[in-house]
Amino acid sequence: TAPGVIYTVMYDETQPETKYTLYFIDTVVPGEFLQNNRVTINSISEGVVKLENDALVGTQADELVIPASLKTVDSDIRISSKILRFADDFDFEVMRDKQIDLSSESTLILPPSVTDLNWFLSPTQIGTIVCPSQTPPLLYNEPHNKRNGVTTIYTSFGLVASNKKPTRAIYVPADSISAYRAHPVWSKLTDNFLPIEEFEYGLVTKAEITATAGDGSWVGVNVNARMEDDGKTG
């Protein structure tokens, strides 16, 4: 399969028939690629090597996987994604000094190789974090303020106050839960550390993709996904 981005465009939100799925074929996703809140990114395929400046700004996704082939990210990753997952063999050093702008309703799934997150990774508090690393990665920890008995610090995952832990749950290897709970920064994010085996990665387990020829680098795409719950396709 040629590297590229599969995305869906809703041209008129009041008319579902104006929804089209398209495929942009290239190893580089250009800057300000699809700044449109009616665009849903379905996938970024293996083989894409670069996201140029603000490539995903203004778009949304249900579950987006960042492929291991990605080697250059020109700016922060800003996308309204329910789940943002980095491929298991993704080199997270590619993201050093870049930010991931999600939301308190989002889930971030880190690759197992992460050992150092000692930079300001997220300007917002992320709702759920999945961290497969056996050893808690280093986190950014910078004092911010102290007022009325409440201390705030900047962490890799946003501003955290001493009287409120912002993350709903953090999933880690079962035999590492005690290490995360004892960590001076990870422990400030949540009291709810859970075994990673209990995290549900979503319903789609298999997707069959077919493409029809178009002009230039644009083609139409049909996606047939098999679901875990009842085995139906749709």
Side-chain angles (χ1 to χ4, degrees):
T1 302
V5 179
I6 299 176
Y7 63 98
T8 302
V9 180
M10 177 74 76
Y11 287 100
D12 187 338
E13 293 176 340
T14 66
Q15 300 181 41
E17 65 271 16
T18 65
K19 185 176 181 179
Y20 299 94
T21 300
L22 301 170
Y23 193 174
F24 172 77
I25 300 175
D26 203 333
T27 59
V28 176
V29 181
E32 301 180 3
F33 173 49
L34 292 168
Q35 288 197 17
N36 187 328
N37 59 12
R38 295 178 181 175
V39 170
T40 298
I41 305 294
N42 299 327
S43 70
I44 301 174
S45 65
E46 184 69 24
V48 170
V49 298
K50 182 177 182 179
L51 295 180
E52 292 188 342
N53 190 51
D54 290 338
L56 303 178
V57 167
T59 61
Q60 59 187 335
D62 289 324
E63 181 174 0
L64 183 64
V65 179
I66 303 299
S69 59
L70 188 66
K71 301 302 180 186
T72 304
V73 179
D74 281 349
S75 64
D76 303 340
I77 291 182
R78 302 184 186 278
I79 183 171
S80 179
S81 183
K82 295 177 183 177
I83 299 176
L84 183 67
R85 178 164 68 92
F86 288 83
D88 286 351
D89 48 354
F90 179 83
D91 180 6
F92 211 75
E93 281 298 303
V94 171
M95 291 301 301
R96 179 167 288 277
D97 298 325
K98 303 293 191 303
Q99 293 183 10
I100 300 171
D101 193 355
L102 297 173
S103 77
S104 60
E105 300 301 317
S106 298
T107 295
L108 174 65
I109 303 176
L110 298 167
S113 59
V114 167
T115 59
D116 185 358
L117 296 174
N118 191 20
W119 68 90
F120 194 49
L121 179 63
S122 174
T124 54
Q125 297 166 342
I126 298 171
T128 302
I129 299 168
V130 180
C131 186
S133 176
Q134 293 286 340
T135 302
L138 296 174
L139 293 185
Y140 187 72
N141 183 13
E142 182 71 24
H144 171 250
N145 200 356
K146 185 173 183 179
R147 182 179 299 174
N148 299 325
V150 177
T151 301
T152 53
I153 61 170
Y154 285 112
T155 74
S156 302
F157 301 107
L159 189 66
V160 175
S162 59
N163 63 344
K164 184 179 181 181
K165 297 186 177 183
T167 307
R168 289 192 303 272
I170 299 178
Y171 291 84
V172 300
D175 57 358
S176 299
I177 288 178
S178 59
Y180 279 84
R181 283 178 174 161
H183 192 275
V185 188
W186 281 98
S187 61
K188 289 180 169 64
L189 300 177
T190 191
D191 289 322
N192 195 24
F193 289 96
L194 299 172
I196 200 168
E197 294 79 11
E198 295 181 5
F199 181 73
E200 296 182 2
Y201 282 81
L203 294 174
V204 177
T205 58
K206 182 179 181 181
E208 298 175 357
I209 300 173
T210 58
T212 56
D215 295 330
S217 60
W218 301 91
V219 297
V221 174
N222 295 315
V223 179
N224 186 34
R226 186 170 299 280
M227 315 302 284
E228 285 183 355
D229 59 347
D230 59 7
K232 295 180 180 180
T233 59

